[in-house]
Amino acid sequence: MNTPNRRSPFRFAAVAAPVLALALAACASPADGDGGTAEASEAHSTEAEVSAPRVVVSYDGGVLVLEGDSLETVDDVPLDGFLRLNPAGDARHVIVSTDDSFRVLDTGVTIEEHGDHAHYYAESPELTATEFAAEHPGHVTTHAGTTALFADGTGRVQLFDPSTLEGGAPELTEYESPDAHHGVAVALEGGALLTTLGTSESRSGAVVLDTDRAELARTEDCPGVHGETVAADEVVVLGCENGAVLYRDGAFTKIAAPDAYGRIGNQAGSPESAIVLGDYKVDAEAELERPERVSLIDTETATLRFVELGTSYTFRSLARGPHGEALVLGTDGAIHVIDPVAGTVSARFDVIAPWTEPVDWQEARPSLEVRGQRAYVTDPATSTVHVVDLESGEITASVELPHVPNELSTVGD
């Protein structure tokens, strides 16, 4: 999850609403000839089949669970305070960050693969009893079959296998950072851990630790380190106030910005691409800079390029498409599709009316989230959410919500 540097403390009590009973009509039928269809239907006799995973939207006072195709509201779960959302990594659950813990929301959808087809079986969503105590919950990452939770107030990292969430509280492994800071941790294949270095006053870089948490690699050449993503071939990219650093093949590499202050704080990677999409800001003194160009970080050549959009964007504007295309939701209301290899805008999909980024980072602003070929876009000005088909650019569904939407999350592994 990519965010601005600081969090504002909010105190509240988390209260789960009773889960509403569902009567869902089947939106899709199993394809003829799929092996095991009869057995699957019998196994899911108490559930309904739907055509897509669900979507979770936060608002001031709770979260909404929506059907992924029609955007019909399935449940409204009250929770006080400022809430953050992230996929838990198991294609079913979402991590809801509250003021003092990470809560687990079960969206109620089970995904089953049958050859080249996926079937989705739905039941009632639930805010589960599983939660992870954390002082100022921060970034959540999912990689290498492991979910990592970072607590900014202590520097504590909690790691677990998300496939065990359905059985209740999972078994945890933990790591304590030397100092508390606004940081992030990423589990790597083989059990290694990449985590940031910093204090409450400043952040300087990152370290990679082996399974015994002995140091394997370190960089302190990343002032203001913020955000993370993983590109093709498990290359991890972190943003800095003077460019970026990447970790691959056991070593860190610095990618310097062309400006003395060239901050990359939010990134979006794809396993389909060696090129990472990032934001880019150059005014260290600005209360709120509204940049109109994005960065493309090539992890193979360790180089940095820029794409002019002609419109500004925010930290909730960056995403990747199913083919590795880079997507940016601009303040002009359009999704700008960037070919990361050519470094050019290849398409533009108009979705919502032009908007202005608010100064307070916690205030609702349009968000972009992608799952498969569906792009989900919120519009707080009209309390709506839209589904955009990324192949055609067409809006396939739009719904006005009972609350003003803030953050948005789909589920996936």
Side-chain angles (χ1 to χ4, degrees):
M1 175 170 64
N2 297 320
T3 65
N5 283 340
R6 301 188 64 83
R7 300 179 58 86
S8 297
F10 283 79
R11 300 297 303 178
F12 60 88
V15 181
V19 178
L20 301 179
L22 300 180
L24 300 177
C27 300
S29 299
D32 292 337
D34 280 347
T37 301
E39 291 83 351
S41 297
E42 182 178 350
H44 296 278
S45 59
T46 61
E47 303 169 348
E49 188 171 0
V50 294
S51 60
R54 286 172 173 159
V55 182
V56 180
V57 179
S58 70
Y59 64 89
D60 184 8
V63 294
L64 295 168
V65 181
L66 313 177
E67 295 293 8
D69 52 357
S70 67
L71 300 178
E72 175 188 0
T73 297
V74 179
D75 204 357
D76 186 341
V77 182
L79 273 175
D80 291 334
F82 182 72
L83 308 174
R84 313 226 59 190
L85 304 174
N86 285 276
D90 67 340
R92 178 167 177 136
H93 296 83
V94 166
I95 301 294
V96 182
S97 302
T98 70
D99 179 54
D100 56 6
S101 70
F102 296 96
R103 301 290 302 272
V104 178
L105 175 71
D106 184 349
T107 66
V109 173
T110 300
I111 300 177
E112 288 192 357
E113 302 286 343
H114 297 284
D116 59 351
H117 299 286
H119 296 296
Y120 307 100
Y121 298 95
E123 56 186 349
S124 299
E126 177 188 13
L127 183 65
T128 73
T130 300
E131 63 179 310
F132 308 93
E135 184 177 335
H136 300 309
H139 286 272
V140 177
T141 66
T142 58
H143 186 66
T146 301
T147 300
L149 312 175
F150 196 99
D152 292 349
T154 60
R156 181 187 184 199
V157 180
Q158 300 176 78
L159 305 110
F160 61 88
D161 178 352
S163 68
T164 63
L165 279 173
E166 210 163 346
E171 181 179 349
L172 290 174
T173 58
E174 299 182 353
Y175 169 74
E176 295 288 342
S177 302
D179 297 287
H181 64 284
H182 179 58
V184 66
V186 183
L188 304 177
E189 295 290 349
L193 180 69
L194 184 153
T195 188
T196 50
L197 298 168
T199 68
S200 60
E201 301 300 323
S202 66
R203 303 184 302 278
S204 60
V207 63
V208 175
L209 311 169
D210 67 15
T211 54
D212 296 321
R213 302 310 180 226
E215 186 173 312
L216 295 174
R218 169 184 290 254
T219 179
E220 295 190 45
D221 191 13
C222 189
V225 59
H226 189 268
E228 57 70 39
T229 196
V230 182
D233 299 322
E234 205 190 22
V235 181
V236 182
V237 176
L238 304 171
C240 316
E241 291 179 350
N242 58 1
V245 294
L246 61 85
Y247 177 78
R248 70 179 306 161
D249 299 329
F252 285 100
T253 300
K254 177 72 177 190
I255 304 176
D259 302 282
Y261 181 87
R263 182 180 186 268
I264 300 173
N266 302 278
Q267 311 88 36
S270 167
E272 304 297 324
S273 176
I275 300 173
V276 165
L277 170 67
D279 57 2
Y280 192 70
K281 296 183 176 182
V282 295
D283 187 352
E285 304 303 321
E287 179 182 15
L288 176 64
E289 184 178 351
R290 294 184 169 94
E292 294 193 356
R293 60 177 172 166
V294 293
S295 58
L296 295 176
I297 306 160
D298 192 323
T299 63
E300 291 184 339
T301 61
T303 55
L304 187 63
R305 292 178 295 158
F306 302 100
V307 178
E308 296 284 350
L309 296 177
T311 184
S312 62
Y313 58 91
T314 78
F315 67 94
R316 293 195 183 129
S317 294
L318 309 181
R320 302 302 290 267
H323 310 297
E325 62 269 43
L327 307 172
V328 183
L329 177 63
T331 56
D332 59 355
I335 296 175
H336 299 256
V337 183
I338 299 171
D339 179 334
V341 176
T344 57
V345 176
S346 58
R348 169 195 162 118
F349 305 143
D350 292 318
V351 184
I352 61 176
W355 51 283
T356 301
E357 178 183 5
V359 174
D360 182 354
W361 76 269
Q362 291 186 339
E363 189 174 338
R365 82 277 315 281
S367 297
L368 172 65
E369 178 81 6
V370 173
R371 183 60 56 188
Q373 71 175 40
R374 291 181 175 92
Y376 297 90
V377 175
T378 60
D379 185 359
T382 58
S383 294
T384 54
V385 60
H386 309 275
V387 183
V388 181
D389 186 318
L390 289 173
E391 299 298 331
S392 66
E394 295 181 1
I395 297 175
T396 60
S398 296
V399 168
E400 183 176 351
L401 302 175
H403 308 284
V404 176
N406 195 342
E407 291 214 343
L408 183 66
S409 180
T410 58
V411 291
D413 52 17

